Amino acid sequence: MAEVRNSKKACTVNALKMSQPIGGALAFMGLNGAMPLLHGSQGCTSFGLVLFVRHFREAIPMQTTAMSEVATVLGGLDNVEQAIVNIAKRTKPEIIGICSTGVTETKGDDVDGYIKLIRDKHPELDDIAIVYVSTPDFKDAFQDGWARTVTRIIDEIVETAAPEAQRSDRRINVLPGCHLTPGDLYEIRDIIESFGLEPMFLPDLSGSVDGRIPDEFTPTTLGGITVKDVATLGSSAWTIAIGEQMRPAAEALEKKSGVPFTLYDRLTGLAPNDDLIALLSRLSAKPVPQKWRRQRSQLVDAMLDGHFFFGNKRIAIGAEPDLLWAVASFLTEMGCDIEAAVTTTHGPLLEQIETDEVLIGDLEDLGKRAEGCDLLITHSHGRQAAERLDIPFFRMGLPMFDRLGAAHLTTVGYRGTRDLVFDIGNIFIANAHEPDTETWRHTAEVSDDTSEAFAAH
């Protein structure tokens, strides 16, 4: 059992975490025809926009209410109204997702009240969904903003199913956590569809920021789940939630529509994927396809091959709670020791990580605890610490701006876990200290040492 502690430093040095509004905005990007709108200053939106563009290397739709000092003090109704009306006129979105920021939360703007007044004044907005989420960036982190946004979308858009309503026994809702990439969602979709089931992802980043060339430009998100499909999630047969962060959203959907759910705290590793495959086989009443049996065998073989190189390796990880849990748990199963674990916010699974301490801190804290480790795992902002400490560096999480293919990194399912074994195992092999002519001990030296040892006895 790990002890979870908060860093007691007076300030953050080289931040590990990203803010709630950024997490909320990314969740809205998983909806088709969406326009995320940050209610705050222009700088708040500019930061998030640059971060997402560098990570995904795609055009990112995001707007701001551009709150000035005066507007912040007097109230942001006019700014919110102007932003919503302009977005509706120029981009014609299906949904406008509004995330608050620290400055407007401190003021205490009643954005839900603003939206009601704006709708009464502008009937042309009747066909556009407008969802507001409270995501103050002076508390919690990226993962919390994502989770709150998905829960809010369910509360606002999903229709309440009547008790006698017929459910689609082939349709499965999937609520993925923010730690899953579009590549992860593709893998999960492939697994579910192989059983003849129809997955409905909320949010679905694999449809919007998966890196493709659109046929024509659109100022909003160019893919993802539609608002109409979100409204019908209550008629699905089952819900699969991935990551502890998605428990509130799954519970909200179950409470509103009666759809039961199964939560997987991770899908990286052998046992969690066995459980997922067993569930899908039961829900579909179909045998497990040979494809997954073979991939499972490949994963077991990869783990067998790799455990020689993973054993007793000391690992330092800095990540959001659910990503930290998934990676740390799997590496522990492979025989590694989690020497340092730093995260961004509290989570119910942190105490179960097999390490002495989990610190809610920053990259400076991670760097101090990573000395002497065999591998450092965090997002791209950890590269300087790895270089300074002269230890190998494996990039995971967001942002990942100094490597290509961040959106397609896959670490779930049998195949994704297998590839993770290969990627990290190859790092260990490449950095193994093989003896050379300068360090290899000669036979004569070994014989002399042995003779001295016997003489001492």
Side-chain angles (χ1 to χ4, degrees), residues 346-359:
H346 287 277
L349 298 176
L350 296 179
E351 292 183 350
Q352 300 179 36
I353 295 176
E354 293 190 30
T355 186
D356 294 332
E357 174 193 74
V358 175
L359 183 70

Side-chain angles (χ1 to χ4, degrees), residues 187-450:
E187 186 72 10
I188 296 168
R189 183 189 304 277
D190 191 24
I191 293 172
I192 295 175
E193 288 180 345
S194 70
F195 285 89
L197 302 172
E198 178 189 0
M200 303 291 291
F201 287 83
L202 174 67
D204 186 6
L205 295 181
S206 67
S208 58
V209 288
D210 60 331
R212 68 185 191 277
I213 305 298
D215 295 331
E216 57 184 26
F217 172 76
T218 173
T220 61
T221 53
L222 50 81
I225 188 170
T226 65
V227 174
K228 291 182 179 179
D229 284 339
V230 174
T232 64
L233 292 182
S235 61
S236 297
W238 207 269
T239 297
I240 295 174
I242 307 169
E244 189 64 36
Q245 62 187 287
M246 303 312 295
R247 185 179 296 276
E251 291 174 344
L253 184 57
E254 182 181 45
K255 181 179 179 180
K256 190 169 188 178
S257 60
V259 181
F261 72 91
T262 300
L263 186 140
Y264 296 96
D265 53 36
R266 60 184 172 110
L267 285 180
T268 300
L270 182 64
N273 285 288
D274 286 348
D275 293 340
L276 174 64
I277 294 296
L279 173 69
L280 295 176
S281 179
R282 177 170 61 84
L283 293 176
S284 64
K286 289 187 175 182
V288 177
Q290 184 61 33
K291 174 181 180 180
W292 308 124
R293 296 178 182 274
R294 189 170 187 84
Q295 286 193 11
R296 185 186 189 278
S297 179
Q298 292 173 352
L299 172 56
V300 172
D301 182 71
M303 294 172 68
L304 177 63
D305 294 341
H307 86 277
F308 296 102
F309 307 100
F310 281 76
N312 296 322
K313 287 294 191 294
R314 303 171 68 194
I315 312 296
I317 309 175
E320 296 284 332
D322 279 353
L323 180 58
L324 174 63
W325 166 256
V327 177
S329 298
F330 178 65
L331 291 179
T332 299
E333 293 170 352
M334 289 295 295
C336 295
D337 298 322
I338 308 303
E339 188 69 19
V342 179
T343 189
T344 59
T345 184
H346 287 277
L349 298 176
L350 296 179
E351 292 183 350
Q352 300 179 36
I353 295 176
E354 293 190 30
T355 186
D356 294 332
E357 174 193 74
V358 175
L359 183 70
I360 299 175
D362 54 31
L363 288 174
E364 184 186 58
D365 299 316
L366 181 63
K368 290 180 179 178
R369 288 161 173 76
E371 292 188 24
C373 287
D374 298 295
L375 183 66
L376 175 65
I377 301 176
T378 187
H379 53 58
S380 289
H381 288 301
R383 67 195 187 284
Q384 296 96 337
E387 183 178 355
R388 184 177 64 254
L389 296 170
D390 192 26
I391 59 177
F393 181 42
F394 186 72
R395 292 160 178 82
M396 292 193 79
L398 191 153
M400 193 187 304
F401 50 76
D402 57 343
R403 292 291 186 273
L404 295 175
H408 297 283
L409 179 66
T410 304
T411 59
V412 302
Y414 295 130
R415 184 178 66 87
T417 306
R418 179 202 66 194
D419 291 349
L420 183 63
V421 172
F422 294 154
D423 290 340
I424 295 181
N426 286 335
I427 291 177
F428 291 145
I429 294 173
N431 289 273
H433 300 291
E434 295 288 346
D436 55 29
T437 55
E438 299 297 327
T439 59
W440 190 267
R441 301 189 66 191
H442 297 292
T443 305
E445 294 176 353
V446 175
S447 299
D448 291 342
D449 290 348
T450 305

Side-chain angles (χ1 to χ4, degrees), residues 6 17 25 33 89 99 135 149 174 255 271 277 364 444 448 452:
N6 285 287
K17 84 168 190 175
K89 184 183 301 183
C99 297
T135 53
T149 298
V174 183
K255 181 179 179 180
I277 294 296
E364 184 186 58
D448 291 342
E452 292 175 1

Side-chain angles (χ1 to χ4, degrees), residues 29-41:
M29 290 181 203
L31 279 73
N32 185 56
M35 178 59 74
L37 173 63
L38 298 194
H39 182 35
S41 66

